[in-house]
Amino acid sequence: MTRAITRARGALATLAALAAAAALLDLGGLHRLEDGDSIVPVLVALQRWTPFYWDQERYGMLVPLLALPVRDPLWNLLLQRALLGLAGLAAVVLLARHALGARWRLAGALAVAALLAAAPAPWLFEYLWSQPYGLSLALALAGLAAAEPRPDPDRLAPALPGPGRIAAGLALCLVAHWVNAAVGLVLLPLAVARAAVDLAQGASRPALRLRLATEVALLAAGLGAGQVMIRLYPVLTGNLLRLPLGTLPPHEWPRAWAALLGRAWEASGRWPAALGACAAAGVLVQLAWPAARPHARAALLRAAALCLAALAYALAAGVLRWVEVNAYHWRYLAPAAVLVHLAAVSLLADPVARALREGPLARAVALALVPAAALAVAGAPSLARVRADLDAAAGRYTADVLAARCRLITGDYWSVWPAVWHAAWVAHARGLDAPVHGLAHRANPTAPDWAGTPREALRICRVRGKEAEAERALRDFRLWPVRVLERRGTVDVLAPAPPSSPAGARGRTSRPP
């Protein structure tokens, strides 16, 4: 009972530190990086919830579902960022628990603090807020922990937990693969690598077989469910499957890996150098300190398992056609980067934990470093600064859109969706009943909300400088040709031209002369 209470207190302390860090980040300076990709899930909660990201079939909208009751656009965004940030930070701690053995607590806390301190802001933004990697990892790792075989004092081998824990583990793994259909590609190689390390360390073969079989079964079930959901998407929605399935031809793999790694390296700044220095310092301490030397091999093997899993995932991600379509953006390596980060930090954390005997004071100090690092990265919490950053990132067109009483905003993807959210935020703050929707890539789910409006009553704000993208969107939604009603500083105000009008008959465009 005492041990259970101690574990519960430790878990609550860890959760409190992570929640504090997530809140500090949420009220800090990362909102200056908000863009179309990160804003769409907020609009999913505010305008029309769909099981997956709008016009997509592989990013499950769990967090927008949880945020549905919050109708204020600003607080909905902040709630979603807080939930995603907490999950992303918790994933690092859960990875430490999963891969680093008995001394994982201090290593996990130090790894989170080091991630916040060393990773460039765009990496943090993508991993914690914009992409599903952290959330899906946290859910899947929690599922594996729930179904983990437990030691049985009456038997030589551990026993599987009861049906309730197995069901909970399976449910969490399935939800994780709804959020991110590829999360199993990260954890399956890690499960195999971890089992190989434990075997090399003399662990019981029956226990290893049972644990590995359990993890493989849960992750395989999740991966299978993810693929089923992708393939059911066109059947259930009536929309075409937009995900290019399959891999590149083998002869293109080296080029693809080089492109993905090259883009990730360019975006990483000094992070790799910091990790290299951390790993080198850890190895030197373990080799030079007699008390740590007997444990150096185990620490190196566990770090190697994390790195091998990262490599396996990176190789798999690099040959996907979807990654090629998205120009080998470095965000696809975010899970691999987190694994390598944890591996490097663990090499130094292991001797530190042994030197301090990983007592309550050492763990408390490590946990205190987590919100301290968040404070150093994000700055002092300030709702006023958050508002200012969001105004700068998304508010360029709002004054003209609301003054023109536009129902739709059109242009390119990266300008439209932030503008839609910002207009909704300002309208809500002013108590205006002024619904605004986007007309760009991913607009299909919300088209029913305005499609019933008579053509002659539609006012459309077209972002200046994005005429070509706007024309494509207007044609796609059968609102072309258009006539210009007025021109404002940042937008042109349009209306669909009646089919029999001279503008429609001549097919005249509305481009500025």
Side-chain angles (χ1 to χ4, degrees), residues 130-320:
S130 186
Q131 301 299 320
Y133 303 123
L135 176 60
S136 59
L137 280 170
L139 289 168
L141 289 164
L144 298 182
E148 196 172 61
R150 308 297 186 188
D152 189 338
D154 298 324
R155 300 172 56 184
L156 294 178
L160 278 174
R165 294 183 71 92
I166 291 290
L170 178 60
L172 286 166
C173 285
L174 293 177
V175 172
H177 286 83
W178 166 43
V179 171
N180 172 16
V183 66
L185 297 180
V186 183
L187 296 179
L188 266 179
L190 181 58
V192 175
R194 183 172 71 127
V197 169
D198 288 343
L199 184 62
Q201 293 298 112
S204 164
R205 287 178 179 269
L208 286 179
R209 282 196 295 267
L210 179 58
R211 188 189 71 191
L212 183 59
T214 303
E215 293 179 356
V216 169
L218 291 177
L219 294 172
L223 284 168
Q227 292 302 307
V228 168
M229 285 185 276
I230 287 174
R231 285 162 173 77
L232 283 179
Y233 175 84
V235 177
L236 298 178
T237 66
N239 298 322
L240 295 175
L241 189 66
R242 297 173 181 267
L243 174 66
L245 299 176
T247 62
L248 299 170
H251 70 272
E252 295 187 21
W253 291 2
R255 175 191 59 82
W257 290 328
L260 183 59
L261 180 60
R263 294 206 62 185
W265 187 266
E266 290 173 2
S268 296
R270 291 176 290 183
W271 190 16
L275 293 182
C278 181
V283 172
L284 287 174
V285 169
Q286 295 197 51
L287 294 179
W289 184 31
R293 200 175 300 146
H295 309 285
R297 180 173 179 269
L300 287 168
L301 285 174
R302 293 192 179 280
L306 286 163
C307 290
L308 286 173
L311 177 62
Y313 172 77
L315 292 176
V319 301
L320 295 177

Side-chain angles (χ1 to χ4, degrees), residues 415-501:
S415 60
V416 165
W417 297 118
V420 169
W421 174 84
H422 196 274
W425 173 31
V426 173
H428 185 275
R430 295 178 183 175
L432 302 177
D433 183 17
V436 179
H437 292 88
L439 203 63
H441 178 45
R442 303 198 186 286
N444 285 304
T446 57
D449 295 339
W450 55 264
T453 305
R455 288 175 63 92
E456 60 272 15
L458 274 178
R459 292 173 67 85
I460 306 167
C461 279
R462 180 182 62 194
V463 173
R464 284 284 183 89
K466 305 297 180 183
E467 288 83 6
E469 296 91 337
E471 181 176 336
R472 283 196 295 271
L474 290 164
R475 288 184 181 277
D476 287 344
F477 286 90
R478 297 183 175 86
L479 295 176
W480 189 266
V482 295
R483 55 194 175 93
V484 177
L485 302 180
E486 58 179 301
R487 300 189 191 279
R488 292 181 170 268
T490 61
V491 300
D492 296 327
V493 184
L494 316 175
S500 59
S501 71

Side-chain angles (χ1 to χ4, degrees), residues 43-82:
L43 294 173
V44 170
L46 294 172
Q47 294 191 345
R48 183 176 291 268
W49 185 84
T50 53
F52 292 94
Y53 199 93
W54 283 347
D55 285 341
Q56 197 188 86
E57 59 288 301
R58 69 196 180 282
Y59 180 0
M61 293 288 93
L62 173 61
V63 169
L65 178 63
L66 298 175
L68 276 176
V70 180
R71 307 313 301 165
D72 183 294
L74 174 62
W75 290 105
N76 189 291
L77 181 146
L78 293 178
L79 174 59
Q80 293 202 38
R81 299 294 175 264

